[in-house]
Amino acid sequence: MRTRPLKVALLGCGVVGSEVARIMTTHADDLTARIGAPVELAGVAVRRPSKVREGIDPALVTTDATALLKRGDIDIAIEVIGGIEPARTLITTAFEHGISVVSANKALLAQDGAALHAAAEAAGLDLYYEAAVAGAIPLVRPMRESLAGDKINRVMGIVNGTTNFILDKMDSTGAGYQEALDEATALGYAEADPTADVEGYDAAAKAAILAGIAFHTRVRLDDVYREGMTEVSAADFASAKRMGCTIKLLAILERAADGESVTARVHPAMIPLTHPLASVREAYNAVFVEAEAAGRLMFYGPGAGGAPTASAVLGDLVAVCRNKLAEAKGPGESAYTQLPVSPMGDVVTRYHISLDVADKPGVLAQVATTFAEHGVSIDTVRQQGKDGEASLVVVTHRAPDAALSGTVEALRKLDTVRGVASIMRVEGE
């Protein structure tokens, strides 16, 4: 066993970083045995050096992350700062100085993953990022390595614990969106500004990363269609229950039937209660991967939090350290297919549409004609009426999203339609 330690620079020491430092200290002997050499926390770069960090030697703390990376004895950098800058510059600096990188930075990888992979490849170094998607759940490495010989056709999952907690509370208790969000905030599941979660930005970044791995093509954050969940209402859940469904914010990545393109999207959707994702409760994540040979695989577990995310970071650290000792490197970017990402309008899906209509003869025929004129077939219709007002709930068969969107716009122009109460896609069937 090598006795000289592998030295680690920790960039960021917030909720995740402090857990990484704690585990590195308390499990030092186990990590040494698993790696084949000691691993030493050699420096911790932070913004506020005066903050007390339990278990971390103050002598290791610095505000100059660049100097830490350039000092010449660092083997691996762990980046848990988040955001685009200074994380991007620091990772690039690490590669320039012969340092492999473990990152949990989903936003940066979704935006600039190709450039970072290219920099790592040029330097002959590792870039690992299991913690960037779904917290502690082993997902990135199984897709990059265990399924490397298979063909993945579809990935569908819940990849944001905050939104799943909110939607689960709305479903199980009948709470409204704001009430469920307030509970999530009080319990620490939601940030003071929950926009990144509830508007789907967080899930979209993870979707971009997973799509790139699954389909061996470059998918950026801007390629991912995104809808938030702030408009989901108690009435939507009532409609879902009548259909034997619930509502989840899903990331859905698909290879086209002809294999010539891919799609990536994040949006709320109704899914049948019989689907395994319907039973994912609280702040848990779960991802379905459909591969040609392996079939359907489900990955489930805590998708966020300091300790779970730190677990994924440490798993990557062990792998990168082993590669260092073997003078090897792990898998880099695989983008050989160079498949185009199709727009959302080309996606074939189903709609659940709730309309407020006049309660008089001929309304249903007029609505049905509008669907037919746009080439959209109706699966089921439910109508309720009272005192001159009525609600009409239509569930469609699968059709291109552009045709469904065009249908909704045409419905809005009918004089018998008072308004479109809600629109939601139906998945998992």
Side-chain angles (χ1 to χ4, degrees):
M1 179 180 289
R2 167 174 151 164
T3 57
R4 184 175 70 82
L6 291 159
K7 294 193 175 184
V8 177
L10 180 60
L11 311 180
C13 197
V15 173
V16 175
S18 60
E19 279 296 310
V20 169
R22 181 188 67 79
I23 295 172
M24 286 185 66
T25 301
T26 58
H27 294 183
D29 291 343
D30 287 337
L31 290 172
T32 297
R34 294 166 191 170
I35 291 168
V39 60
E40 174 188 322
L41 185 58
V44 181
V46 300
R47 285 185 298 176
R48 297 186 296 276
S50 59
K51 180 180 178 180
V52 176
R53 294 172 172 85
E54 186 177 348
I56 296 177
D57 183 352
L60 297 178
V61 176
T62 178
T63 57
D64 195 339
T66 302
L68 174 61
L69 295 172
K70 289 182 176 181
R71 75 185 204 187
D73 63 340
I74 302 298
D75 296 291
I76 298 106
I78 297 175
E79 184 273 307
V80 285
I81 298 171
I84 306 303
E85 288 293 354
R88 174 170 50 196
T89 298
L90 291 174
I91 291 175
T92 302
T93 300
F95 291 145
E96 290 170 351
H97 289 79
I99 302 168
S100 288
V101 174
V102 173
S103 176
N105 196 330
K106 53 187 170 287
L108 178 58
L109 287 160
Q111 178 171 306
D112 288 324
L116 295 178
H117 275 293
E121 185 69 27
L125 297 165
D126 280 329
L127 173 61
Y128 275 50
Y129 44 90
E130 183 67 66
V133 181
I137 304 171
L139 181 59
V140 171
R141 199 173 305 140
M143 288 177 62
R144 282 214 296 182
E145 300 178 30
S146 302
L147 295 174
D150 208 337
K151 180 180 180 182
I152 296 175
N153 291 316
R154 194 168 195 255
V155 179
M156 182 171 80
I158 299 163
V159 294
N160 182 278
T162 300
T163 54
N164 198 58
F165 179 89
I166 293 170
L167 292 173
D168 180 45
K169 289 302 175 185
M170 293 177 69
D171 186 27
S172 61
T173 69
Y177 166 76
Q178 189 60 51
E179 183 182 352
L181 172 60
D182 290 343
E183 183 176 355
T185 304
L187 292 172
Y189 290 123
E191 301 287 346
D193 179 0
T195 302
D197 294 323
V198 300
E199 293 294 351
Y201 292 102
D202 175 84
K206 296 170 182 175
I209 295 169
L210 291 177
I213 297 170
F215 306 132
H216 303 280
T217 198
R218 287 177 178 168
V219 179
R220 288 170 50 89
L221 179 59
D222 292 345
D223 296 322
V224 181
Y225 174 83
R226 177 197 56 79
E227 282 182 23
M229 47 157 281
T230 56
E231 299 301 316
V232 176
S233 67
D236 291 324
F237 274 100
S239 291
K241 287 182 178 180
R242 282 192 287 268
M243 290 179 59
C245 293
T246 188
I247 299 170
K248 299 292 185 182
L249 184 75
L250 298 178
I252 303 172
L253 323 169
E254 295 176 299
R255 188 190 301 269
D258 61 6
E260 296 301 315
S261 64
V262 298
T263 58
R265 50 193 167 110
V266 168
H267 55 72
M270 294 183 179
I271 58 172
L273 295 175
T274 53
H275 195 285
L277 290 178
S279 62
V280 178
R281 306 295 301 276
E282 300 285 331
Y284 277 74
N285 285 191
V287 179
F288 250 80
V289 177
E290 298 179 20
E292 202 164 85
R296 288 186 170 187
L297 307 172
M298 182 170 173
F299 299 83
Y300 170 84
T309 306
S311 171
V313 169
L314 268 295
D316 278 350
L317 177 65
V318 169
V320 172
C321 285
R322 287 171 175 170
N323 291 343
K324 281 277 185 183
L325 295 178
E327 297 183 351
K329 67 182 292 293
E333 183 188 33
S334 176
Y336 70 92
T337 62
Q338 300 182 36
L339 296 172
V341 181
S342 297
M344 185 63 192
D346 292 346
V347 174
V348 177
T349 186
R350 300 178 67 201
Y351 268 26
H352 174 283
I353 306 169
S354 180
L355 303 171
D356 295 327
V357 299
D359 187 13
K360 62 182 183 181
V363 172
L364 180 56
Q366 192 178 36
V367 168
T369 298
T370 302
F371 276 92
E373 289 173 349
H374 287 80
V376 178
S377 176
I378 293 175
D379 182 14
T380 62
V381 178
R382 185 178 71 253
Q383 185 173 10
Q384 296 176 329
K386 184 179 180 181
D387 299 330
E389 298 295 330
S391 64
L392 192 64
V393 177
V394 179
V395 179
T396 72
H397 285 292
R398 290 170 63 83
D401 200 81
L404 289 162
S405 297
T407 304
V408 172
E409 290 307 307
L411 289 170
R412 294 182 193 274
K413 297 175 182 178
L414 297 178
D415 56 7
T416 53
V417 174
R418 310 292 193 221
V420 179
S422 70
I423 308 167
M424 192 165 297
R425 295 174 182 85
V426 182
E427 298 288 343
E429 295 181 320

